[in-house]
Amino acid sequence: MTRHQEPQDKTLHPDDRARLDQVFMQVVLDVQAQVQQTRPAQAGTLAAMFHKETVSDALQGCAVLIAGWNENRVDGAGVTRAAKALRSLGLEDLAQRVERLRGIDEA
């Protein structure tokens, strides 16, 4: 079973992927670590539930990114999901870093 490639996915040459692996993984691991350290913005059960769901979305976006990376591509859906969740958590800088992964091979 193959996954349908989203139009915004970016396919990488295997040599580029190997060369950029450390950079990509550093971004993703940093995002995961920082997301896991966040706390709800407000007290209360509802805020805690929203926060937990948003953290889960960010981490799932990272998992999708890693899965795509292992297939020599930057997964557009993973970028979108992770960036949206990061913005919801108030982590704009991290969201921008994730979005810049789309052009990782252009630097």
Side-chain angles (χ1 to χ4, degrees), residues 9-29:
D9 287 3
K10 178 162 192 166
T11 303
L12 299 169
H13 188 278
D15 291 344
D16 286 336
R17 187 195 149 233
R19 177 177 58 86
L20 297 166
D21 191 62
Q22 185 175 0
V23 173
F24 179 89
M25 290 307 296
Q26 182 61 44
V27 170
V28 173
L29 293 174

Side-chain angles (χ1 to χ4, degrees), residues 31-90:
V31 166
Q32 290 174 325
Q34 289 194 47
V35 163
Q36 290 174 340
Q37 294 174 9
T38 62
R39 298 289 172 248
Q42 300 174 346
T45 306
L46 188 57
M49 287 174 30
F50 175 75
H51 180 263
K52 183 178 179 180
E53 183 176 319
T54 306
V55 166
S56 178
D57 280 347
L59 295 175
Q60 288 174 15
C62 288
V64 169
L65 283 169
I66 291 169
W69 189 250
N70 290 334
E71 297 175 353
N72 297 323
R73 64 186 167 75
V74 177
D75 188 283
V79 168
T80 300
R81 183 175 190 169
K84 181 179 177 185
L86 291 166
R87 285 193 172 92
S88 292
L89 293 167

